Amino acid sequence: MSDSSPTRREFLHASAATALAGGCAGAGAGADNDKPLIAPRPDSFALAERFGKLLRVTDVTDGLDALGRADRCLLDAQIRPLWMGMRFCGPAVTMRVVPTNRTMPIVSRKDALRQHAIWREMGGWHAELKPHLKKGIVIVTSTNGAKECGYWGSNNSLDMQSQGVAGIVTDGNARDTDEIIMQRNPVACRTIGRTIIPGRVELMDVNVAVGCGGVMVRPGDIIGCDWDGALVVPIEIAEDVLAIAARIAVDDKKARRRLYDRVGRKPDETVDWESAAEYYKDLL
């Protein structure tokens, strides 16, 4: 390999940059030479707002299915919200966390509260999340098979929520889950854990393409989550998925409204197809 060959990190950052730019346009036979190499990037925040307004994860799944993408965009079914009623949708900010091959030193009583600070001084954080935080984002944390480690807990997840983060998705563990549930912090995880970060995992990269729950997630892809699970909508097909999912959702609400009437059930917001049809009228 020559000295000019890119490192793995450079490759990951280049992949993320391509996703953020909207992807390269295909240079097929007969393509016009004056066509831009970078496709215009859809507004992921505006799209996420429309996805999250009235669409369920199942509606979006059906939209992905129509485009042949569902099996490649559904996160592992074990990744679930920690509490019933949690719903969020937003552009992804990704974190690549890996198991460490180092150990934490034994600490004294005096240093017991400095374990995270000591781990940072030892180089356990190779990247920073804070510069990427924006209102409405969803943090996607890939843990690469790390053993039990409660990367997200009642303190840092509440901190993220206070800064406008719409949700957190991880294929790893969450801890302090009694408080996360009580505080209604929007955390979806694979399992519950008990341990802290130092001596277990290292944060390697932020905002690079990652694998989470068996699927690729890139910065700016749209993440949706509700009680049925979590999924990713690749940004380059998000507009088509939204249009299809909106039509499916309105049709479902209309059909269930008829069934509500048949069984004498009082209508609720889940069968308010008129409002949904009005909101998505440009797509129907």
Side-chain angles (χ1 to χ4, degrees), residues 5 133 173 199 236 239-240 242-243 258 272:
S5 298
L133 296 180
N173 313 124
E236 64 271 18
E239 292 172 319
D240 288 336
L242 175 64
R258 291 194 293 267
D272 184 3

Side-chain angles (χ1 to χ4, degrees), residues 25-197:
D32 294 336
N33 292 330
D34 59 351
K35 285 185 177 179
L37 292 177
I38 301 299
R41 174 177 170 77
D43 183 341
S44 56
F45 285 91
L47 281 170
E49 182 178 0
R50 299 205 74 189
F51 272 102
K53 180 73 172 180
L54 295 169
L55 301 183
R56 306 165 298 182
V57 160
T58 49
D59 298 320
V60 181
T61 299
D62 293 347
L64 287 164
D65 242 346
L67 297 177
R69 295 288 191 102
D71 293 341
R72 291 174 173 81
C73 297
L74 299 181
L75 277 66
D76 189 324
Q78 293 182 18
I79 299 174
R80 300 286 304 282
L82 278 172
W83 45 272
M84 174 75 81
M86 183 191 305
R87 294 180 70 250
F88 58 79
C89 186
V93 166
T94 62
M95 302 172 65
R96 185 170 72 93
V97 174
V98 301
T100 189
N101 58 4
R102 301 181 289 165
T103 57
M104 266 286 290
I106 302 298
V107 297
S108 65
R109 293 185 182 183
K110 178 182 176 182
D111 287 334
L113 297 181
R114 293 195 66 251
Q115 291 181 79
H116 286 84
I118 292 170
W119 191 237
R120 178 177 289 276
E121 292 164 4
M122 292 174 60
W125 276 265
H126 304 262
E128 294 296 333
L129 176 63
K130 187 174 182 179
H132 302 278
L133 296 180
K134 293 181 180 180
K135 183 178 180 180
I137 66 158
V138 173
I139 299 172
V140 177
T141 306
S142 169
T143 58
N144 290 280
K147 296 180 181 178
E148 182 178 347
C149 176
Y151 198 98
W152 292 105
S154 59
N155 191 312
N156 58 0
S157 63
L158 182 58
D159 181 25
M160 294 298 98
Q161 189 177 21
S162 74
Q163 297 186 60
V165 170
I168 296 168
V169 175
T170 179
D171 56 8
N173 313 124
R175 56 177 266 158
D176 316 325
T177 52
D178 283 349
E179 288 89 356
I180 288 177
I181 294 168
M182 179 189 68
Q183 295 169 177
R184 288 297 190 261
N185 306 136
V187 178
C189 58
R190 187 189 299 275
T191 57
I192 293 172
R194 296 158 290 190
T195 62
I196 58 176
I197 295 167

Side-chain angles (χ1 to χ4, degrees), residues 3-17 205 208:
D3 293 340
S4 62
S5 298
T7 65
R8 171 179 168 80
R9 183 170 295 178
E10 289 170 341
F11 174 78
L12 288 170
H13 281 288
S15 298
D205 291 291
V208 299

Side-chain angles (χ1 to χ4, degrees), residues 255-268 271:
R256 287 192 300 114
R257 169 77 75 81
R258 291 194 293 267
L259 293 173
Y260 269 45
D261 293 342
R262 182 186 301 174
V263 300
R265 184 182 180 96
K266 183 179 179 180
D268 54 45
V271 293

Side-chain angles (χ1 to χ4, degrees), residues 239-253:
E239 292 172 319
D240 288 336
V241 174
L242 175 64
I244 296 169
R247 299 185 73 174
I248 289 170
V250 170
D251 184 69
D252 177 82
K253 291 175 183 293

